[in-house]
Amino acid sequence: MVATADGARVDILSRDERATPGEGVDATIGGIVASARAALRDSGLPLHEIVAVGLAAPGPLDHRTGVVHFAPNIAGFTEVPLASRLSDALDGATVFLDRDTAIAAIAERITGAARGVDDFVYITVSTGLGGAIVSGGRMVRGTTNTAGELGHWPVAFQLDTARDAAFDVPRCGCGSYGCVESFAAGRNLADAYGVKETADVYAAADRGEPRAKAIVARAERAVAALAIGITNVLNPSLIVVGGSVAEKQRAHVIEPMRRAIRERAFATPASAVQVVPAALGGDVGMVGAVLAARERVSGKGEWFL
Ligand SMILES: [Zn+2]
């Protein structure tokens, strides 16, 4: 996408969307470059007039070095210097990389549901489950710049270490067990039920099919546990919940979080937090990447970085 940003306003000049190639690192980077060049062509702007390139990718990654440490859903994506590879392929353009969920949080903070809010947590529930933490007006980055991977917050534990853990709780794509993502992300729900589409699991549960109901109930308990942990540990004023599954299944995602906070979190932080749907839809990554790149290139984005 090629865009200009002024204040909270983003004007989209052109866009090019394509599926992620499944053949590994070089094909994926090649696809990104081809898409960027196609969007540029459509905008009529030459590359040398582009101030900065913003790029959202799944994490964990280091936004300062521009290295993706591990992207379990993209074949071969381990320790890839994505920002520099992309810069090389775009004639040395300045490229700013950040985690997709950090980018979404930046977009929601500047132009969405968290405008003006200094203590909030962003959660996305879609194919996967992820998040970002803004505390005291700063993005929480941690010591290796990988903080905020809320999808891998454990909400269950291996019940019997003498048995193969796979018998107790589902194995997560990160290699661990009991992560909230492995219970509540769209792909994991579909896998658990043996179907391709997450919507089919919810439809079956709504029809009263017992196995689907159990899988959905388990997902609700997982996001409820995450919401309680976030409320008690981080004391945010807002939990912004985005992503396609959350958008379509509010009663199964946002409502269980609200209920659990009300019933089980500490009273003081529970009374101060609201769980709200994200304001930005499917374009959140692209809009956020433009805003994040603008903030970083202008040196005004330190509160996020
Ligand atoms: Zn995990």
Side-chain angles (χ1 to χ4, degrees), residues 151-152 172-174 176 179:
H152 305 280
C172 184
C174 75
S176 186
C179 301

Side-chain angles (χ1 to χ4, degrees), residues 24 39 55 62 122 129 287 303:
L55 180 62
D62 189 326
Y122 175 82
L129 197 152
V287 169
W303 69 273

